[in-house]
């Protein structure tokens, strides 16, 4: 009888040790396989963890746990663009068309990611930063900022490209099989647009968009991810401190794709650098982008974003070396 008790005790102790080991490993790894505790071993400055005080989270929505994740992050209490409330069906339909919600390939699970967020600002012109940009582990771009023809200034590689219906490439010339296209949802029509394109249907109503959206999708369904609106909400309320309520006649302000891209980088990167985010708001005739002929006057007239607030926030990030700006110039 005594021997049986000793054997039982050994089994219980072994089970307890096994549970502790497994439990410890689970807490060391977040939902997309990146260790959130090993950042100090990366060999370069850990500037993100000193700024972001919350656990890293998977920035993409998945069909399998859409409702659970939305409830756990409170996204079901906010309407678009900050949540999924009253748009759940549209999200489900769009997610059902996608093949993956993975962040990085299975063979790229390193927790140490040095990232560059490349803005579309005219300040990138003639800077010859292309080779430097291509040296980063992760390169994040946005909207329809081209690479082809501008390689010397902006590089060739793209890891993630954030977009919405009015800002995505429609010319297959810009297709890159190694790019993950990250869809930012601002309205439920955006989700219907994505579902229709991936189903091979035509886009009939275009007047619900602020300008004509792309009428075909150049990326394959396995390359597309849907950004969790929680990231956009955190950008607006926690980073930029936008008011949650506006006067009846006041138009709500929302973050630009650029600021959302930086917040996205904070969630997946150890160190974040930026380029192409400097805007000269005093010179209305200066170049808005490193491509094309648009001038700063278009940005100044924009009522949807608070460019001054975003520039102040970026300046603070740079001042405290939370991000490093490759295109910083003296004022």
């Amino acid at each position: 009888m005594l021997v049986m008790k000793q054997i039982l005790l050994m089994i219980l102790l072994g089970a307890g040790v096994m549970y502790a080991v497994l439990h410890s490993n689970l807490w060391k790894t977040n939902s997309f396989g990146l260790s959130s505790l090993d950042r100090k071993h990366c060999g370069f400055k850990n500037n993100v963890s000193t700024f972001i005080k919350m656990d890293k989270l998977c920035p993409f929505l998945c069909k399998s746990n859409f409702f659970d994740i939305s409830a756990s992050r409170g996204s079901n209490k906010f309407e678009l663009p900050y949540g999924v409330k009253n748009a759940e069906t549209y999200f489900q339909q769009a997610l059902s068309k996608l093949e993956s919600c993975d962040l990085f390939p299975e063979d790229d699970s390193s927790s140490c990611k040095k990232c560059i967020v490349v803005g579309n600002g005219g300040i990138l012109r003639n800077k010859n930063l292309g080779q430097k940009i291509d040296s980063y582990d992760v390169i994040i771009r946005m909207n329809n900022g081209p690479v082809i023809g501008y390689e010397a200034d902006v590089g060739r590689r793209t890891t993630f490209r954030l977009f919405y219906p009015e800002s995505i490439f429609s010319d297959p010339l810009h297709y890159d099989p190694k790019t993950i296209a990250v869809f930012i949802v601002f309205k439920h029509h955006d989700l219907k647009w994505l579902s229709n394109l991936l189903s091979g249907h035509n886009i009939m109503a275009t007047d619900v968009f602020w300008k004509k959206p792309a009428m075909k999708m150049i990326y394959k369904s396995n390359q597309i991810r849907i950004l969790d609106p929680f990231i956009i909400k955190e950008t607006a309320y926690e980073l930029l401190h936008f008011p949650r309520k506006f006067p009846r006649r006041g138009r709500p302000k929302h973050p630009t794709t650029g600021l959302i891209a930086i917040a996205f980088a904070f969630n997946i990167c150890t160190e974040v650098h930026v380029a192409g985010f400097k805007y000269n708001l005093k010179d209305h005739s200066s170049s808005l982008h490193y491509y094309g002929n648009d001038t700063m006057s278009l940005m100044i007239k924009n009522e949807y974003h608070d460019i001054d607030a975003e520039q102040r926030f970026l300046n603070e990030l740079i001042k405290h070396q939370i991000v490093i700006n490759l295109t910083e110039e003296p004022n």
Side-chain angles (χ1 to χ4, degrees):
M1 190 68 177
L2 180 60
V3 174
M4 291 295 294
K5 287 183 177 180
Q6 289 176 338
I7 293 174
L8 182 60
L9 179 60
M10 293 295 294
I11 292 174
L12 290 174
L13 288 173
V17 171
M18 182 65 70
Y19 173 82
V21 171
L22 291 174
H23 190 68
S24 174
N25 287 337
L26 284 173
W27 276 104
K28 286 182 180 178
T29 305
N30 62 22
S31 59
F32 49 87
L34 294 181
S35 169
S36 58
L37 298 181
D38 293 338
R39 306 278 170 170
K40 62 184 178 181
H41 303 300
C42 290
F44 46 79
K45 186 177 180 181
N46 184 0
N47 57 355
V48 171
S49 65
T50 60
F51 179 67
I52 298 296
K53 301 302 182 183
M54 58 186 180
D55 291 334
K56 306 296 179 184
L57 54 86
C58 181
F60 304 141
L61 293 177
C62 301
K63 179 184 177 182
S64 60
N65 60 4
F66 168 71
F67 285 104
D68 290 340
I69 291 296
S70 297
S72 67
R73 296 175 185 167
S75 297
N76 56 352
K77 298 178 182 178
F78 292 84
E79 295 185 342
L80 286 168
Y82 300 147
V84 303
K85 184 179 179 182
N86 297 326
E88 291 89 345
T89 300
Y90 298 110
F91 273 103
Q92 283 185 290
Q93 290 174 348
L95 288 168
S96 70
K97 310 296 181 187
L98 307 184
E99 298 179 22
S100 175
C101 58
D102 294 339
L103 182 59
F104 295 111
E106 292 182 0
D107 60 351
D108 185 15
S109 59
S110 170
S111 63
C112 303
K113 300 292 184 184
K114 191 170 184 177
C115 304
I116 178 78
V117 183
V118 184
N120 294 332
I123 194 172
L124 277 168
R125 285 183 174 178
N126 302 317
K127 287 293 191 294
N128 292 312
L129 288 172
Q131 188 172 358
K132 173 70 173 177
I133 289 172
D134 280 340
S135 70
Y136 284 80
D137 300 317
V138 174
I139 302 168
I140 302 170
R141 304 184 193 272
M142 61 218 65
N143 302 327
N144 55 355
V147 169
I148 297 175
Y150 300 90
E151 294 90 345
D153 287 329
V154 303
R156 301 173 182 272
R157 295 177 48 234
T158 304
T159 314
F160 298 103
R161 183 178 289 274
L162 280 63
F163 74 97
Y164 51 92
E166 298 94 335
S167 75
I168 189 175
F169 292 123
S170 57
D171 187 343
L173 173 70
H174 299 287
Y175 173 69
D176 180 357
K178 296 183 179 180
T179 294
I180 296 297
V182 182
F183 187 41
I184 303 175
V185 184
F186 288 105
K187 51 191 179 298
H188 73 266
H189 291 291
D190 296 349
L191 291 163
K192 293 174 66 176
W193 168 86
L194 181 63
S195 296
N196 284 334
L197 286 188
L198 294 179
S199 300
H201 299 154
N202 294 327
I203 306 298
M204 303 303 293
T206 59
D207 57 344
V208 294
F209 300 92
W210 66 270
K211 74 174 186 178
K212 186 178 179 180
M215 304 303 284
K216 56 184 177 181
M217 176 62 68
I218 67 170
Y219 298 104
K220 294 178 172 58
S221 59
N222 66 342
Q223 294 178 265
I224 301 173
R225 308 288 188 270
I226 297 179
L227 188 70
D228 191 330
F230 179 80
I231 302 290
I232 308 174
K233 179 173 74 71
E234 291 290 289
T235 306
Y237 295 154
E238 303 302 326
L239 301 186
L240 295 173
H241 300 293
F242 284 171
R244 298 186 180 227
K245 292 184 179 180
F246 286 83
R248 287 186 177 182
R249 294 185 179 181
R251 185 167 184 174
K253 304 293 185 181
H254 300 295
T256 61
T257 310
L259 258 292
I260 295 171
I262 291 174
F264 169 68
F266 283 155
N267 276 280
I268 68 172
C269 305
T270 309
E271 183 171 347
V272 176
H273 292 192
V274 299
F277 277 87
K278 182 75 173 181
Y279 295 104
N280 185 357
L281 299 176
K282 296 179 181 179
D283 185 358
H284 293 202
S285 62
S286 62
S287 297
L288 178 58
H289 300 133
Y290 65 83
Y291 58 92
N293 300 313
D294 290 339
T295 62
M296 198 62 62
S297 59
L298 288 178
M299 178 73 81
I300 295 169
K301 293 177 182 177
N302 193 304
E303 297 180 353
Y304 194 75
H305 306 300
D306 190 335
I307 304 303
D308 286 329
E310 293 198 3
Q311 288 289 292
R312 289 194 299 270
F313 173 70
L314 276 173
N315 288 336
E316 285 297 308
L317 293 181
I318 295 165
K319 175 182 177 182
H320 296 287
Q321 295 188 321
I322 296 165
V323 303
I324 305 299
N325 184 11
L326 300 190
T327 48
E328 187 172 17
E329 290 186 347
N331 294 324

